[in-house]
Amino acid sequence: MADLRNLDSLWNPLDAAASESVFQKLLTVAHQLSGEERCYLVELWLQIARAQTVQRKFAESRLSLATAEALLGEAGAGYQVHIKIRWLLEKGRLLISEKTPSQARALFEEAWTLAKNSGEDHLIVEIAQMMATIEPQKSQAGWIVKAIQIAEASVQQKVKRSLGGLYASFGWHLYDLRQFEKSLEVFQKSLSHLTIYGNEREIFVAKWATGKVLRAMNKTEDALVIQKALLDEMGITGAQDGRLYEELAECLQTLKRSTEAQLYFELAYRELSNDEWMTDNQPVKLKRMKDLGKVKEKR
């Protein structure tokens, strides 16, 4: 029961498959619950759906959401409002992942209406973030800023911890608008927050983002110093990171160190060509990596 009461703590943002496995193992216990405690069973199915969506197991996610919806229907108005909000969120997340974001809008709007007076600050922040993903670029900032303001005003520790990621979201929005000076400032704010509250991976990504913005500002030498430090740090763990290799390659190419850049373009391509999002959304960038890395396909 302790695990069922703290499902969010079992979620690993870096390994959705492992998270799903943990949640699936809890189903046997959860199915034995009765009365008001059945709410934990609904939440468990919603966490499973979330993990499946992240893994792009869309058919399975739809079934998990349908199961949660049926359980909600059986309970009528007896469940806490945050469970309905979570269902709306996960359904909307699935629709976005299936590339039908327009269908998610009504779900997020309903969730926002329910959440505003619920006291569930972490859900309010998450809804605002999801709304930002489906809005036109000119409207995205308003939702991100709302999320930041709610998190900054909240007394809930869980919400305070989310600020590092929220600042990063705003930093990327400014980056896309080519407001690089402001973007750098926000990413540095994100890094400062994550240094206190974040995990190693979040701190790593924040440093990488700072370097990427510096390169965009033509401060390539400074950017390269950051990315090389991350490469050294990553070497200790034996991990691979295509986006880090890409940034190293771009810095070296800008500095006319093409021979060195070639190796990292090749490494970047070999890692990122296995990334479904990259192949779907950035084929031109992948081709550039392949060409500059002089990658020869295995026969």
Side-chain angles (χ1 to χ4, degrees):
M1 280 302 298
D3 284 340
L4 287 170
R5 291 190 179 102
N6 295 280
L7 289 174
D8 282 340
S9 68
L10 302 178
W11 172 255
N12 181 352
L14 302 180
D15 195 338
S19 298
E20 182 187 358
S21 178
V22 170
F23 296 138
Q24 292 278 8
K25 289 174 182 176
L26 289 172
L27 279 174
T28 302
V29 176
H31 274 292
Q32 296 172 6
L33 300 176
S34 59
E36 292 185 0
E37 288 188 334
R38 292 278 284 178
C39 67
Y40 297 118
L41 177 58
V42 184
E43 291 194 75
L44 185 55
W45 276 113
L46 292 173
Q47 292 284 7
I48 290 170
R50 178 187 184 188
Q52 290 166 338
T53 295
V54 172
Q55 296 172 78
R56 303 181 69 81
K57 294 160 61 174
F58 300 146
E60 292 177 46
S61 181
R62 282 195 293 274
L63 286 173
S64 297
L65 286 168
T67 301
E69 185 179 23
L71 290 166
L72 276 171
E74 291 171 14
Y79 282 103
Q80 298 175 30
V81 68
H82 79 271
I83 299 177
K84 178 61 180 295
I85 296 168
R86 174 60 71 188
W87 183 87
L88 291 164
L89 264 172
E90 297 310 328
K91 180 68 172 178
R93 196 192 312 274
L94 174 62
L95 291 169
I96 289 174
S97 298
E98 291 181 318
K99 300 182 180 179
T100 54
S102 60
Q103 295 179 35
R105 181 180 299 279
L107 298 173
F108 292 148
E109 288 174 346
E110 183 180 353
W112 179 259
T113 300
L114 289 172
K116 281 193 296 185
N117 299 313
S118 70
E120 301 279 352
D121 290 353
H122 67 289
L123 289 177
I124 301 172
V125 166
E126 192 169 353
I127 296 163
Q129 287 180 283
M130 296 305 289
M131 284 295 292
T133 66
I134 63 173
E135 291 286 358
Q137 190 178 63
K138 64 180 181 181
S139 304
Q140 289 173 3
W143 283 103
I144 299 172
V145 169
K146 277 183 186 179
I148 290 172
Q149 290 172 339
I150 293 163
E152 287 179 337
S154 179
V155 296
Q156 298 172 17
Q157 190 64 20
K158 179 180 179 180
V159 180
K160 288 290 187 188
R161 189 190 177 286
S162 71
L163 271 168
L166 292 171
Y167 292 142
S169 293
F170 193 42
W172 285 122
H173 174 74
L174 294 168
Y175 178 90
D176 290 340
L177 295 175
R178 303 185 65 80
Q179 297 180 25
F180 299 133
E181 292 280 356
K182 291 181 180 179
S183 176
L184 179 63
E185 182 181 335
V186 175
F187 274 123
Q188 288 172 335
K189 190 174 183 179
S190 172
L191 179 57
S192 295
H193 189 277
L194 290 170
T195 300
I196 300 171
Y197 297 102
N199 58 41
E200 289 183 5
R201 180 60 185 174
E202 289 171 326
I203 295 168
F204 184 98
V205 173
K207 290 177 180 177
W208 171 85
T210 301
K212 185 176 177 71
V213 178
L214 285 169
R215 180 172 68 83
M217 295 169 66
N218 296 316
K219 297 182 178 181
T220 311
E221 293 281 5
D222 294 337
L224 184 58
V225 168
I226 291 173
Q227 307 300 3
K228 276 191 169 182
L230 290 175
L231 182 66
D232 291 341
E233 182 182 319
M234 192 175 70
I236 296 172
T237 66
Q240 306 290 325
D241 192 308
R243 287 174 175 78
L244 175 60
Y245 298 146
E246 179 191 4
E247 277 304 305
L248 284 162
E250 294 292 359
C251 287
L252 292 165
Q253 186 76 3
T254 300
L255 295 171
K256 303 187 185 305
R257 293 161 61 177
S258 300
T259 302
E260 295 172 80
Q262 180 186 333
L263 169 64
Y264 290 109
F265 276 123
E266 179 182 0
L267 290 170
Y269 175 77
R270 295 201 183 280
E271 287 295 313
L272 296 176
S273 60
N274 295 316
D275 184 317
E276 189 172 349
W277 186 90
M278 283 291 294
T279 57
D280 287 347
N281 295 279
Q282 296 189 326
V284 174
K285 180 179 282 192
L286 275 175
K287 185 178 184 304
R288 182 171 186 274
M289 292 178 208
K290 182 179 180 181
D291 292 344
L292 292 175
K294 299 181 180 178
V295 179
K296 295 181 180 178
E297 297 292 353
K298 295 179 181 179
R299 294 182 179 179

